[in-house]
């Protein structure tokens, strides 16, 4: 049976080794052919040496980049630099040939071009590392919560309530869009739609996670979320994954402590587990990346109130495109200034004005701000948004009204405040933004297998 190339590269010289994979490079002369075979198990490829004595040498010597092969042979010490062993082939089976128009040749392709061949790009070096680290990061996240007794909740993807209250939802309907839509009082009659009510793809699993926190104390969700915001930036996707822990008997400072511990824990785990992929990113994508990440493991994150942050921004030597004053939402240029120029490492901004944050955030005693927290990191900006939740039923009702939302769909959410409600808090980490921070990749489209962004749902 074939073993992973990652494992083969660590074996002692021996006979009877089988490797399977795709050719990264292929060079051949009259007397010998060299092939580098990669199977996605690690950044390195296995060098295979093929001699003319092989019965199908002519066929093998013609095999181009991208060909799928199964090689059997003897693993021998390699004279070449940068590798301990190479495989001296006794048999090479061409499992899948490659047409001559194969787009992924051995040369540098731009990330923009590679997005147009998302069905082939996982085989490119950078994307091998990106998607291995993506896997390792999700495992680290589950592991972090599992070790701390958090229960994972699978919150619904189709939902009847708008968690963020921002109306940026993709509608889910079974109406025939080519026929007149059933109407009642001039509006679409969702009572006649599939679910008997208006439904959308979720923007967040938080409200449902709160239900579970009030039974299991500490819970988290990890699922896809969807936002119909028309932001064509390098950090916004219409479909992204979010991790949302929710803790009962917890306030804003407890929330920040979990978030900080969490970011450190998962970064450490990925650095330990993906040393070779991280070395690749450090060399080719962001110089000094591992040092940056090691630093954040060792230094506490900074905390600024929104009011302090605005004062700092008003004093900033640079001019911003969007002027700042107390009451405005922070734009990415402001966030970047705070975390990159002013602080130089991750920082929490807390206690935002009540009117620019979501309705469920706990109103502070000043009645002007809410117990919100955003975590900003250099290079990416906001990676976490969270808060203590409003546990007082009357204040929550007032907030729903203040934001102009219809209270009816939130009946069960309000009920939680009447039946054993407790102070509770949580946050959402954008999985892809975290991945950008860890890998140094600069565009969210390059850390998602198949990105969905405004104007694009290819593949
Ligand atoms: O700040 P947001 O909107 O917070 C919530 O959804 C809360 N319900 C979370 C909670 O308290 N349980 O989103 C959380 C994070 C952001 O900080 C960002 O990292 C990411 O989700 N995010 C996006 N990532 C990629 N593309 C987008 N369009 C994103 N919108 C938010
Ligand atoms: Mg946010």
């Amino acid at each position: 049976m074939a073993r992973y190339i990652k494992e083969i590269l660590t074996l002692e010289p021996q006979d009877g080794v089988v490797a399977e994979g795709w050719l990264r490079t292929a060079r051949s002369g009259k007397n010998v052919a060299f092939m580098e075979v990669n199977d996605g198990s690690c950044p390195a490829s296995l060098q295979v040496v093929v001699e003319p004595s092989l019965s199908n040498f002519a066929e093998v010597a013609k095999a181009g980049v991208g060909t799928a092969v199964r090689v059997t042979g003897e693993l021998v010490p390699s004279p070449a630099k940068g590798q301990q062993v190479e495989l001296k082939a006794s048999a090479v089976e061409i499992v899948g040939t490659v047409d001559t128009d194969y787009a992924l040749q051995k040369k540098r392709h731009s990330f923009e071009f590679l997005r147009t061949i998302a069905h082939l790009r996982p085989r490119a070096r950078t994307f091998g590392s990106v998607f291995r680290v993506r896997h390792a990061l999700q495992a680290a996240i589950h592991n972090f919560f599992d070790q701390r007794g958090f229960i994972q909740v699978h919150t619904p993807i189709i939902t009847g309530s708008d968690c963020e209250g921002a109306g940026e939802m993709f509608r889910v309907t079974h109406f025939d869009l080519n026929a007149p839509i059933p109407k009642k009082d001039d509006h679409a009659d969702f009572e006649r739609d599939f679910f008997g009510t208006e439904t959308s793809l979720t923007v967040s699993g938080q409200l449902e996670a709160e239900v579970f926190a009030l039974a299991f104390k500490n819970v988290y969700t990890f699922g896809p979320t969807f936002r119909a915001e028309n932001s064509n930036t390098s950090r916004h996707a219409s479909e992204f994954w979010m991790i949302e822990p929710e803790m009962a008997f917890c306030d804003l400072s407890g929330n920040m402590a979990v978030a900080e511990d969490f970011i450190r824990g998962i970064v450490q785990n990925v650095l330990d587990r993906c040393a070779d992929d991280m070395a690749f990113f450090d060399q080719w994508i962001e110089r000094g990346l591992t040092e940056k990440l090691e630093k954040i493991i060792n230094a506490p994150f900074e905390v600024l109130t929104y009011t302090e942050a605005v004062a700092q921004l008003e004093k900033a030597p640079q001019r911003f495109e969007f002027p700042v004053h107390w009451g405005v939402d922070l734009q990415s240029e402001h966030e970047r200034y705070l975390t990159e120029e002013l602080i130089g490492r991750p920082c929490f901004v807390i206690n935002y004005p009540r009117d620019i944050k979501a309705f469920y955030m706990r109103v502070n005693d000043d009645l002007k701000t809410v117990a919100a927290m955003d975590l900003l990191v250099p290079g990416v900006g906001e990676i976490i948004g969270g808060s203590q939740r409003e546990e007082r039923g009357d204040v929550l009702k007032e907030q729903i009204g203040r934001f102009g939302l219809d209270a009816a769909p939130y009946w069960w959410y309000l009920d939680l405040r009447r039946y054993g409600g407790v102070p509770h808090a949580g946050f959402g980490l954008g999985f892809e933004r975290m991945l950008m921070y860890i890998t140094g990749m600069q565009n969210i489209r390059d850390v998602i297998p198949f990105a969905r962004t405004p104007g694009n749902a290819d593949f």
Side-chain angles (χ1 to χ4, degrees):
M1 236 214 10
R3 306 202 218 199
Y4 286 120
I5 285 169
K6 178 191 170 107
E7 194 190 336
I8 293 174
L9 290 171
T10 65
L11 294 177
E12 292 297 318
Q14 57 188 278
D15 207 357
V17 171
V18 184
E20 294 165 340
W22 294 266
L23 300 190
R24 278 275 166 87
T25 65
R27 291 178 286 134
S28 65
K30 258 213 187 91
N31 299 320
V32 68
F34 293 104
M35 312 187 301
E36 283 185 32
V37 183
N38 188 280
D39 68 354
S41 60
C42 62
S45 300
L46 175 66
Q47 164 136 303
V48 173
V49 185
V50 191
E51 282 170 2
S53 52
L54 234 66
S55 60
N56 61 343
F57 181 78
E59 184 198 8
V60 173
K62 277 197 316 231
V65 170
T67 304
V69 295
R70 180 177 300 113
V71 185
T72 308
E74 185 182 356
L75 199 63
V76 297
S78 174
K81 243 179 67 182
Q83 60 197 22
Q84 295 290 320
V85 288
E86 61 187 30
L87 190 60
K88 205 165 152 267
S90 55
V92 177
E93 187 187 337
I94 305 287
V95 181
T97 57
V98 73
D99 287 359
T100 49
D101 59 355
Y102 186 58
L104 200 67
Q105 289 303 324
K106 184 187 155 44
K107 61 167 200 171
R108 272 211 176 198
H109 296 288
S110 72
F111 290 155
E112 287 79 7
F113 169 69
L114 289 170
R115 279 174 217 148
T116 68
I117 52 165
H119 58 311
L120 302 173
R121 82 175 174 169
R123 299 185 204 170
R125 258 200 332 169
T126 303
F127 293 90
S129 290
V130 165
F131 294 120
R132 270 188 302 276
V133 169
R134 186 173 168 115
H135 165 75
L137 181 61
Q138 65 80 32
I141 289 167
H142 286 298
N143 201 25
F144 177 91
F145 289 121
D146 187 46
Q147 284 177 352
R148 284 160 184 77
F150 282 61
I151 296 283
Q152 186 190 2
V153 203
H154 294 118
T155 51
I157 290 170
I158 299 174
T159 174
S161 51
D162 180 355
C163 172
E164 295 305 301
E168 291 170 333
M169 306 184 75
F170 288 104
R171 176 155 296 141
V172 174
T173 179
H174 201 245
F175 283 150
D176 178 354
L177 299 180
N178 293 313
I181 289 172
K183 295 253 168 111
K184 191 172 157 189
D185 306 333
D186 250 13
H187 290 289
D189 183 7
F190 291 108
E191 276 176 29
R192 291 162 66 184
D193 201 352
F194 192 91
F195 295 105
T197 182
E198 191 173 355
T199 49
S200 304
L201 294 177
T202 189
V203 294
S204 157
Q206 177 198 321
L207 304 189
E208 290 92 349
E210 286 183 50
V211 172
F212 272 66
L214 293 177
F216 297 94
K217 240 178 127 177
N218 294 323
V219 303
Y220 73 105
T221 70
F222 190 159
T225 47
F226 308 86
R227 303 228 174 151
E229 48 191 340
N230 208 353
S231 318
N232 228 325
T233 79
S234 59
R235 304 170 316 129
H236 287 87
S238 315
E239 174 179 313
F240 62 97
W241 287 64
M242 187 154 57
I243 300 95
E244 297 183 273
E246 191 69 33
M247 291 82 67
F249 303 96
C250 182
D251 62 9
L252 190 66
S253 62
N255 202 15
M256 283 193 283
V258 173
E260 190 166 339
D261 211 26
F262 174 55
I263 297 296
R264 290 224 176 86
I266 59 182
V267 166
Q268 181 74 67
N269 192 308
V270 169
L271 284 175
D272 293 345
R273 178 170 169 187
C274 305
D276 45 6
D277 288 313
M278 293 308 293
F280 173 85
F281 291 123
D282 199 314
Q283 184 176 357
W284 298 102
I285 304 294
E286 181 182 331
R287 281 263 169 210
L289 175 72
T290 39
E291 197 189 320
K292 167 190 99 177
L293 294 174
E294 273 154 13
K295 262 216 276 243
I296 77 143
I297 293 173
N298 299 316
F301 297 177
E302 193 76 30
V303 184
L304 276 180
T305 64
Y306 168 90
T307 304
E308 286 161 354
V310 167
Q312 290 291 348
L313 289 165
E314 283 172 336
K315 281 197 294 206
Q318 73 198 69
R319 281 184 57 84
F320 296 111
E321 190 189 337
F322 296 92
V324 216
H325 55 85
W326 202 98
V328 302
D329 203 1
L330 301 184
Q331 301 293 326
S332 94
E333 56 172 344
H334 308 134
E335 297 175 342
R336 304 279 296 254
Y337 172 80
L338 293 171
T339 179
E340 287 166 18
E341 312 294 325
L342 188 72
I343 314 273
R345 60 199 159 86
C347 86
F348 286 108
V349 178
I350 61 170
N351 297 336
Y352 282 77
R354 184 173 178 176
D355 294 324
I356 60 171
K357 286 289 186 185
F359 71 93
Y360 53 71
M361 298 191 179
R362 192 177 195 281
V363 179
N364 286 326
D365 291 344
D366 60 14
L367 300 181
K368 288 196 324 212
T369 61
V370 283
M373 61 174 218
D374 276 7
L375 180 64
L376 313 179
V377 298
V380 182
E382 178 194 336
I383 55 169
I384 280 180
S387 70
Q388 186 173 338
R389 318 307 187 189
E390 184 53 78
E391 85 283 12
R392 298 161 296 186
D394 50 339
V395 184
L396 182 58
K397 251 188 233 147
E398 188 197 325
Q399 281 283 96
I400 290 176
R402 191 179 167 112
F403 281 84
L405 299 169
D406 174 13
Y410 299 106
W411 66 271
W412 52 273
Y413 189 68
L414 285 158
D415 260 7
L416 291 179
R417 276 67 189 166
R418 300 196 293 132
Y419 306 133
V422 295
H424 60 288
F427 61 85
L429 170 70
F431 185 56
E432 285 78 13
R433 297 223 182 137
M434 187 64 201
L435 203 54
M436 290 169 72
Y437 185 58
I438 287 192
T439 60
M441 296 295 287
Q442 298 205 339
N443 197 306
I444 198 163
R445 292 162 181 79
D446 297 328
V447 295
I448 306 187
F450 303 99
R452 271 79 184 96
T453 49
N456 175 49
D458 289 343
F459 300 98

